[in-house]
Amino acid sequence: MSALWTSAEIETATGGTASIAFEVTGVTFDSREVGPGDLFVAMPGTVADGHQFVGSAFAAGAAGALVSQAVSGPHILVPDVAAALTALAVAARARTSAKIFGVTGSVGKTSTKEALFAALDRVSSGKAHRSVKSYNNHTGVPLSLARMPRDSEYAVLEMGMNHSGEIAVLTRLVRPDVAIITAIAPAHIEKLGSMEAIASAKAEIFEGLQPGGVAIVPEETPHRDALVKAARRHAAEIITFGGPEADITALHAVRSDNGGSLITARLMESELTYTISQRGDHWVSNSLAVLAAVEAAGADLAIAGLALADMGGLKGRGERHQIRLAGGSALLIDESYNANSASMEATLKSLGEEHGVQRRIAVLGPMRELGGQSEALHAALAPAVTAAKVDRLILIGDEMLALEEALGGTIPLERVADADAATALLLAIIAPGDAVLIKASNSVGLATLVERVAGEQPCFT
């Protein structure tokens, strides 16, 4: 494998001093992820200092370390490790000729990032790069840039935020050629105060657009005009997607044989009929955003469409597990990674559209960071639960009391204290033929429920 960075290049980028010449083939700041040839970035932390793990990183095969204190083994010594990682990210962005895509949004940003990567990776025969997991903050974005291979043709970087101003900093680091906002929903409204403030914070992504850059904006949002206005200040072109009047829209969308959707889309210069493997109307919207970005980059739309058809399930974002039970099997749908009003309603709708099932069971935990609107927003999920024809409902925590009261006893339900109690209850009631949806904010910890119930059982799309 060719070098991602040489020690001399890292010295130049960071202003640090190398203890000895070396080369690295990867970059990580998580000692548990270190592989042979990696650069281990010894980040300071509130709980533990990365310097404590330099020894274990070298034992795992690290080729060098980025440190602010001398260590045994090949290293680059810098005054500030976090600042040095950012400097390395700046150098990575400066040396690349790749087309860069930035993605943000309240709902669907990670799913859209993964789908766009799949499309561009197919188009470029494996020369696309992306941020992994949800590395979308002030440390994750620099890491993702620093990991970008020299010969990348495309890179897709996700950007997230909790406060206004955060995306502005990240987008100026990423400097996207194409900036995408997937959707606006009341995530982080506790800290931002209003939906308008959330839209404004997401629109900061346009501030980093390169000259000639393209802004991609959702049509079906009350904040569409505000987003377009913000984009006009920075973008050479604005493309809308999703609604009937959008530049990129679905002319027809029907359920396909595999449970996904068969879509005919009107694009900027053509029409395309394609299949997506993922289920639900929200994935139709995600796919339109992806095709808008692919067309904006001048890449092959037909090949991108094939990639969307072949996408597998995403852990925590719709991955499906077949649970083997005595007398048959049950379906478990893992949406445990995160939740807000829009994603809750979308996934409940998808559960309601599952065919050939005996019972629909929903295990729902609270949506977090909603502030004073929490009670009202949880109660407002009741129509979606009812419309999904849920036969049995497990709610987790006091925050879900508002939904319990809004349902008024119309659906059999139990409200339990935590993820462990929900796991025990689900294991006691799950039966062959059930379809089970797992959905909550990530901090609720329902990923552990999925692990315990699904175990080593097969997942599929």
Side-chain angles (χ1 to χ4, degrees):
M1 184 181 295
S2 60
L4 177 63
W5 295 99
T6 67
S7 55
E9 289 170 331
I10 301 171
E11 279 184 306
T12 300
T14 65
T17 303
S19 64
I20 191 173
F22 61 89
E23 295 181 346
V24 300
T25 54
V27 184
T28 185
F29 49 46
D30 187 337
S31 61
R32 297 166 297 183
E33 296 180 352
V34 172
D38 279 351
L39 174 71
F40 176 62
V41 181
M43 291 286 283
T46 56
V47 177
D49 188 330
H51 291 83
Q52 299 174 21
F53 305 101
V54 171
S56 60
F58 282 127
L66 187 61
V67 296
S68 59
Q69 58 193 55
V71 297
S72 297
H75 63 271
I76 306 286
L77 186 63
V78 296
D80 183 320
V81 174
L85 177 59
T86 297
L88 195 62
V90 170
R93 180 63 182 90
R95 77 180 183 181
T96 190
S97 59
K99 182 80 73 174
I100 307 293
F101 299 77
V103 183
T104 193
S106 303
V107 185
K109 58 181 177 293
T110 300
S111 299
T112 299
K113 178 257 297 182
E114 291 292 330
L116 179 55
F117 167 76
L120 295 172
D121 203 50
R122 177 79 70 95
V123 166
S124 63
S125 300
K127 290 191 175 181
H129 173 68
R130 75 190 187 285
S131 48
V132 298
K133 300 181 180 178
S134 286
Y135 281 173
N136 61 18
N137 63 6
H138 65 288
T139 56
V141 170
L143 178 68
S144 298
L145 279 167
R147 287 173 161 177
M148 183 165 52
R150 298 171 186 269
D151 63 348
S152 296
E153 295 181 9
Y154 301 103
V156 188
L157 286 304
E158 179 181 335
M159 287 172 258
M161 61 88 190
N162 292 316
H163 299 86
S164 62
E166 289 181 276
I167 288 179
V169 173
L170 298 176
T171 192
R172 289 188 174 96
L173 185 62
V174 172
R175 295 191 289 124
D177 298 292
V178 180
I180 305 161
I181 295 179
T182 58
I184 304 297
H188 312 303
I189 199 167
E190 178 180 18
K191 296 176 181 177
L192 288 158
S194 68
M195 292 290 288
E196 290 74 18
I198 293 170
S200 178
K202 296 297 184 183
E204 292 171 10
I205 195 172
F206 303 134
E207 296 175 16
L209 273 170
Q210 290 286 83
V214 179
I216 297 177
V217 174
E219 176 76 19
E220 289 190 306
T221 171
H223 310 285
R224 181 260 189 204
D225 291 347
L227 295 176
V228 168
K229 182 178 179 181
R232 283 198 185 110
R233 294 194 285 269
H234 308 282
E237 182 181 8
I238 299 170
I239 300 174
T240 59
F241 72 92
E245 304 303 317
D247 299 314
I248 310 294
T249 190
L251 300 175
H252 305 285
V254 297
R255 189 182 178 99
S256 63
D257 291 341
N258 70 350
S261 296
L262 175 65
I263 304 162
T264 298
R266 185 189 70 227
L267 307 175
M268 297 292 288
E269 297 182 359
S270 63
E271 291 185 5
L272 179 70
T273 298
Y274 63 102
T275 299
I276 56 173
S277 58
Q278 312 297 328
R279 291 160 167 80
D281 293 345
H282 54 301
W283 264 103
V284 175
S285 179
N286 290 347
S287 75
L288 295 173
V290 167
L291 293 180
V294 171
E295 188 169 29
D300 192 310
L301 286 161
I303 293 176
L306 292 174
L308 293 174
D310 291 342
M311 272 192 71
L314 303 179
K315 185 175 182 179
R317 297 178 173 89
E319 190 172 64
R320 298 161 72 86
H321 299 264
Q322 201 70 42
I323 311 301
R324 291 186 290 263
L325 302 166
S329 64
L331 169 66
L332 186 145
I333 305 166
D334 177 12
E335 287 279 357
S336 62
Y337 184 76
N338 222 336
N340 54 50
S341 299
S343 64
M344 277 281 199
E345 291 173 2
T347 51
L348 281 164
K349 181 180 179 183
S350 185
L351 175 66
E353 293 170 350
E354 289 291 337
H355 297 307
V357 300
Q358 297 298 315
R359 295 186 302 174
R360 295 177 179 86
I361 300 174
V363 182
L364 306 180
M367 305 176 290
R368 295 277 162 81
E369 298 186 29
L370 299 179
Q373 298 189 40
S374 178
E375 184 175 338
L377 289 171
H378 282 97
L381 294 175
V385 173
T386 302
K389 301 171 287 219
V390 173
D391 298 291
R392 189 84 178 261
L393 185 61
I394 300 174
L395 302 177
I396 302 169
D398 292 340
E399 292 149 294
M400 301 303 283
L401 176 59
L403 175 56
E404 179 181 355
E405 292 176 342
L407 288 167
T410 57
I411 293 174
L413 67 83
E414 291 86 7
R415 186 164 55 87
V416 298
D418 53 29
D420 287 342
T423 303
L425 179 55
L426 179 60
L427 287 170
I429 67 171
I430 192 170
D434 288 345
V436 183
L437 171 66
I438 311 296
K439 184 74 172 171
S441 284
N442 192 40
S443 59
V444 179
L446 290 189
T448 60
L449 180 153
V450 174
E451 290 173 1
R452 290 174 60 185
V453 176
E456 299 299 319
Q457 313 222 28
C459 62
F460 58 97
T461 58

